[in-house]
Amino acid sequence: MPEKMMKVQRIEHGTVIDHILPGRAFDILKVLGIVNDRSMSILINSHSKKGGKKDILKIEDVELSADEASRVALISPQATINIIVGGKVVKKFNAEAPKVVRGILTCSNPNCISNQNEPITSEFRLGPDDGHRYVCTYCERDIIDLAKRIRW
Amino acid sequence: MRHVISVHDFSVEEIVDVLDRAEDMVAIARGETTSDLLRGRVLACIFFEPSTRTRLSFETAMNRLGGGVIGFAGTQATSVVKGETLADTIRMVSGYADAVVLRHPREGAAKLATEFSGVPIVNAGDGAGQHPTQTLLDLFTIRTEMGRLEGLTISLVGDLRYGRTVHSLAIALSKFGNTINLVSPEGLEMPGEVTSELMAKGMLGKACHSPEEVISDTDILYATRIQKERFPDPVEYERVAGMYRVDPDLLSRGPEGLIVMHPLPRVNEITPEVDGMPQAKYFEQAFNGVPVRMALLSMVIGGK
């Protein structure tokens, strides 16, 4: 393979999510609810120009909304989102971690009332510090292993 | 509408206000005078878990204020055994009463209840979560016995990991400016989030494994039950429980004016010989549940 050849073709229209924490690309697809009927490229543990490794997602014919972008930040706060139209980047931004997350996650505390058969929606709030930790509104515990707590 | 879910929801001023109101209720709580502040009002006490002190003191509090009590203790004779959700139980009960006191085995149950209730919810303990009325009565006992809520050294002794009362109490005491010693067996230490908060506020004293290390410098020794089921080996349980037993010998090494508190029920943590000593305040503490809960009920039902 020639040195400068791209591993994955550029896309004409859609979204490129770059600088995803290594190994988290599938969690992002999960949190976005994107299933296998889309055309997409997934790079796992790709070398980053900034050093280290990263994942990259190229999803064709999908433009992420602000809400969807914040879901990406839930899993990978440093990810950048590029909206591609006509093969060019028309918008590039860093997703902002949501202050409140409803319904997407389940509480990691098995004894939390939100894990019982009650007519409520799970809710988590971003902690006040910089630790990117989410606290259950019901049981007040930190969610542990957040990526594993995503509902399908 | 004011719910009482977590002591974290109370500011220092609000805590002091509750304690001041509780002080005004003591004579009524003792039956020395009567009140009809909540006459014609109904309190629902729904207890999905066993309780002696909490349930009886809420019922006494409501009766002393002239109100009536409905409710259940245990779920056997209720629709819960038919699979009724807590949400539906709360919707129904809140239609019958002016406030609902709830104890439930799941963390976050009281918070859920607030979403389905048309009347105030008072959390009487939700799983290993919050038990705010216990914390308030502990603070009331400390203020009554010591004359203040600040500048004290409190040693929390026993199972600090699973004992829900000590988590809330440690945080509440740190709001007032106190030194808090944490004394627990290995493996039953205070959870990291509580210790970190105490450290951040500069309120953490010693964290150690023996009451002997802190007794000479303790104003309040707050003992908690070490549960047998936490130890797979009964011999190990006996050994550890013995190390944490409060007896006249241990207290003889404490300073003058030291008091002993315990949320009860106790098993062997405090020997019966201590009961008659001036340091023993745990039965007064249990009584204090009545005026404190009267104060809270008058606030959430009576709007006082």
Side-chain angles (χ1 to χ4, degrees), chain A residues 23-37:
Chain A
R24 291 292 171 87
F26 287 103
D27 293 328
I28 287 185
L29 289 175
K30 199 171 161 185
V31 81
L32 290 174
I34 292 175
V35 287
N36 297 337
D37 60 349

Side-chain angles (χ1 to χ4, degrees), chain B residues 6-15 139 149-150 168-178 180 197-198 201 203:
Chain B
S6 166
V7 79
H8 302 293
D9 303 336
F10 284 78
S11 67
V12 165
E13 293 73 24
E14 287 172 325
I15 291 173
L139 293 174
L149 279 173
E150 68 286 329
S168 305
L169 181 60
I171 298 300
L173 284 167
S174 73
K175 293 184 183 198
F176 290 89
N178 292 289
I180 297 152
E197 190 166 339
L198 295 179
K201 290 179 175 171
M203 305 288 171

Side-chain angles (χ1 to χ4, degrees), chain A residues 58-149:
Chain A
K58 296 186 176 190
I59 312 163
E60 288 186 50
D61 300 323
V62 169
E63 281 187 34
L64 289 195
S65 66
D67 175 56
E68 287 168 325
S70 74
R71 290 187 187 198
V72 171
L74 182 66
I75 302 299
S76 184
Q78 300 84 8
T80 53
I81 292 164
N82 303 273
I83 306 297
I84 314 292
V85 176
K88 292 189 173 150
V89 177
V90 295
K91 197 174 170 190
K92 181 173 182 173
F93 59 100
N94 283 93
E96 196 175 324
K99 299 271 188 289
V100 181
V101 182
R102 288 192 186 90
I104 303 168
L105 303 168
T106 57
C107 186
S108 48
N109 172 11
N111 205 41
C112 177
I113 195 75
S114 70
N115 283 324
Q116 309 309 311
N117 183 29
E118 295 287 345
I120 53 169
T121 304
S122 71
E123 185 180 287
F124 299 86
R125 292 178 181 276
L126 186 61
D129 47 38
D130 298 331
H132 190 67
R133 63 187 184 93
Y134 281 86
V135 182
C136 175
T137 299
Y138 289 94
C139 73
E140 300 182 359
R141 302 258 181 99
D142 285 11
I143 195 164
I144 298 165
D145 229 343
L146 188 146
K148 287 187 181 162
R149 311 307 308 178

Side-chain angles (χ1 to χ4, degrees), chain B residues 154 183 216:
Chain B
I154 301 101
V183 186
S216 63

Side-chain angles (χ1 to χ4, degrees), chain B residues 21 24-29 33-43 57-69 290-302 304:
Chain B
R21 290 163 186 266
D24 295 340
M25 297 288 183
V26 169
I28 308 167
T33 178
T34 59
S35 167
D36 58 1
L37 188 66
L38 297 182
R39 190 173 57 172
R41 314 305 286 273
V42 176
L43 179 69
S57 65
F58 264 113
E59 291 184 7
T60 303
M62 191 61 183
N63 281 305
R64 290 286 195 200
L65 291 172
V69 180
V290 178
V292 167
R293 289 170 176 133
M294 288 168 76
L296 287 167
L297 293 178
S298 71
M299 290 164 79
V300 300
I301 301 176
K304 295 276 178 180

